[in-house]
Amino acid sequence: MAKKIYLSDYFGKMAVIRNAVADFFSVISQFSEKEILIDFKGLEFISRSCADEYIKRKLHSDKQIKETNIQKNVLLMFFLVIKQNNLRAGVITK
C-alpha cells in the first residue's frame, strides 16, 4: 500500500524554496514504502524553481511517486517546467 503524504504538512500553502523540496525528498527517501502518494491538497502555489526541483528529484528517486489533488495553477507550473526541459509528459500524475 502506498504511503500518503500531504505536501501542506511540509510547505503550508506555498512551496517557494528549492532546498525545501530537496529536504522533503530526503525525508521520503527514508520511508520503507516504495509507493508514495503525494497529496497536493492545500498547496496553492509552487515556484518555478520548486517545480523544477520536484520533477528532478522525482525522476531520480527509487520510489514510485504519484500525485493527487493538484490545483490548476500548480499543475500549470509543472507543465511549464516539463516543456522548458523537454521532459516526458508522464512526469506528473493527476
Side-chain angles (χ1 to χ4, degrees):
M1 183 194 270
K3 179 168 185 68
K4 189 172 190 177
I5 301 170
Y6 292 90
L7 272 188
S8 61
D9 290 346
Y10 292 87
F11 298 101
K13 292 181 179 184
M14 299 187 300
V16 294
I17 301 171
R18 181 182 293 268
N19 286 344
V21 175
D23 292 344
F24 171 74
F25 271 87
S26 292
V27 169
I28 66 171
S29 71
Q30 296 179 19
F31 294 144
S32 61
E33 295 87 354
K34 283 290 193 189
E35 296 179 23
I36 306 290
L37 178 62
I38 299 180
D39 195 323
F40 279 70
K41 184 176 181 180
L43 189 76
E44 298 174 3
F45 173 81
I46 189 166
S47 68
R48 192 220 168 275
S49 63
C50 283
D52 181 65
E53 188 70 19
Y54 181 96
I55 290 170
K56 287 177 182 175
R57 296 284 177 156
K58 179 181 176 178
L59 288 173
H60 293 98
S61 176
D62 62 347
K63 305 289 184 186
Q64 297 172 8
I65 300 171
K66 295 192 177 192
E67 297 82 14
T68 189
N69 295 322
I70 305 176
Q71 289 191 18
K72 185 177 181 179
N73 61 321
V74 174
L75 191 60
L76 289 173
M77 186 61 74
F78 280 122
F79 288 155
L80 173 67
V81 170
I82 290 166
K83 183 176 181 180
Q84 289 177 335
N85 293 322
N86 294 319
L87 299 172
R88 55 187 169 87
V91 170
I92 298 298
T93 57
K94 190 172 174 191

